Amino acid sequence: MGDAQPGQPYQSWKAFCGARLDYVSVLAETVEQSFIRRDTTHPTFCGCIDWHSSVHGAYALLTASRLTSDPRWARVVDAALAPDCLEADLTSLKRGELDHELPYGFAWFLKLAQEREQGCEKYDLQPLAAEIALRVRRWLFSLSDEDLVHHAQRREYGNLFWPLLNLWHWGKWKQDSGLLKELANFTRIRLLPLDPECPS
């Protein structure tokens, strides 16, 4: 593994940089082991203990393939994304059975869908992503000023800025000028005036 092995100290920053992609592969192996498990009853994203962890596990594997040029990790994700399972997930989403994943898990899904399209040129997550983007948008724009401050101050799953950031990135990727304008106005009109109430 280049100039360093796992568990051995690096002698220099240059050595670390030279071995970093090898470490991506080592980490991806652990992610794969969790991703392929069936920990839940979700049709597609059923490993990694819960839905959102399985989603960002898939993102990690796709990113590992892109960075290392090793298709192994992307093939693991391909095997999980069966059309009938994705359709079942979409049905589950529309029934409200994934509402507990709003906003954190839904934001991760938008990140995954963009990586899938941008890195793999595969668009099988588009129907789910479109529905999820709509739900994240509705959630953001429905928040009162009090709710905005509350979620801006949250440090974990309910934090405001993770879904806002990923919805913005999704809008940029899809070239959705209407969504981008709405988000820019939302930030300028609703969020910036609340800045004094959100300690740094």
Side-chain angles (χ1 to χ4, degrees):
M1 183 181 287
D3 298 319
Q5 296 293 327
Q8 295 180 349
Y10 284 99
Q11 299 303 311
S12 68
W13 177 249
K14 182 178 179 180
F16 171 79
C17 291
R20 67 189 185 277
L21 292 183
D22 297 317
Y23 273 84
V24 169
S25 294
V26 171
L27 292 169
E29 290 179 5
T30 301
V31 176
E32 178 191 11
Q33 292 168 13
S34 296
F35 181 75
I36 63 176
R37 293 199 313 250
R38 181 161 289 278
D39 298 328
T40 71
T41 59
H42 297 299
T44 308
F45 301 99
C46 56
C48 300
I49 300 176
D50 54 35
W51 189 86
H52 65 255
S53 297
S54 187
V55 166
H56 58 64
Y59 168 79
L61 292 171
L62 293 181
T63 303
S65 270
R66 175 169 53 81
L67 293 176
T68 64
S69 300
D70 184 347
R72 168 186 171 184
W73 317 115
R75 286 198 292 262
V76 172
V77 178
D78 287 343
L81 301 185
D84 57 332
C85 291
L86 291 174
E87 185 62 34
D89 260 333
L90 182 59
T91 299
S92 180
L93 174 66
K94 290 181 176 180
R95 287 176 178 166
E97 295 168 1
L98 293 174
D99 285 355
H100 61 285
E101 295 290 354
L102 180 64
Y104 179 80
F106 284 2
W108 263 115
F109 191 90
L110 294 178
K111 194 165 186 67
L112 166 62
Q114 182 175 343
E115 179 66 31
R116 180 83 168 156
E117 295 184 7
Q118 198 168 9
C120 306
E121 297 185 351
K122 295 183 178 180
Y123 298 86
D124 45 0
L125 299 183
Q126 169 62 33
L128 271 164
E131 182 68 22
I132 282 174
L134 179 62
R135 288 168 184 258
V136 174
R137 176 187 170 278
R138 286 174 178 167
W139 177 78
L140 278 172
F141 296 160
S142 72
L143 296 174
S144 66
D145 286 353
E146 183 179 357
D147 289 335
L148 288 174
V149 172
H150 169 73
H151 285 284
Q153 294 176 335
R154 292 281 299 272
R155 295 186 180 273
E156 296 181 353
Y157 299 117
N159 183 267
L160 176 71
F161 299 107
W162 181 243
L164 180 60
L165 176 67
N166 282 289
L167 188 59
W168 173 266
H169 284 165
W170 180 251
K172 290 275 285 186
W173 168 245
K174 303 307 286 186
Q175 299 182 328
D176 188 338
S177 59
L179 175 60
L180 295 176
K181 183 176 181 180
E182 285 183 324
L183 291 173
N185 288 337
F186 173 78
T187 301
R188 177 174 55 84
I189 297 170
R190 298 288 314 284
L191 293 184
L192 290 182
L194 299 176
D195 189 60
E197 299 185 50
C198 299
S200 58

